[in-house]
Amino acid sequence: HTLIGIAEIVRHVDVSRRTLELKFRDALQKTPLQELLRMRLEIAKSLLVDSQIPITEIALRSGFASSQVFSSVFKKNTQQTPSQYRQNAKGLG
């Protein structure tokens, strides 16, 4: 459950960032950053639904620098705030 970034991936696979991006695009039709963001959002969604952890903590556990960044990215990708998503997923909204 260690949160990683692109730099850690590059070091682990021992290729340049550019090579990683090209190979990623060829295989998945997206960038490593897009996939990392997708994974972070999936972690956040799971925590929102399956726990009562405060949203600020979920932001950090999901790999976002702050709850403000998390909320902005989350809303852009889901058209809901994290609080709205939690309420709707639990049938409270």
Side-chain angles (χ1 to χ4, degrees), residues 42-64:
E42 289 304 313
I43 291 167
K45 287 176 183 178
S46 177
L47 290 171
L48 285 166
V49 173
D50 298 332
S51 75
Q52 290 301 316
I53 299 169
I55 290 172
T56 53
E57 180 65 22
I58 289 174
L60 297 175
R61 288 189 187 190
S62 303
F64 292 90

Side-chain angles (χ1 to χ4, degrees), residues 9-56:
I9 295 170
V10 167
R11 279 194 298 275
H12 182 73
V13 297
D14 198 29
V15 298
S16 71
R17 184 178 181 132
R18 182 70 180 141
T19 298
L20 176 68
E21 289 184 6
L22 290 171
K23 290 186 181 288
F24 230 85
R25 279 185 192 265
D26 284 346
L28 301 174
Q29 289 71 52
K30 61 176 94 172
T31 67
L33 188 57
Q34 289 170 324
E35 180 60 14
L36 192 57
L37 178 60
R38 185 196 67 76
M39 292 173 65
R40 288 177 177 170
L41 288 170
E42 289 304 313
I43 291 167
K45 287 176 183 178
S46 177
L47 290 171
L48 285 166
V49 173
D50 298 332
S51 75
Q52 290 301 316
I53 299 169
I55 290 172
T56 53

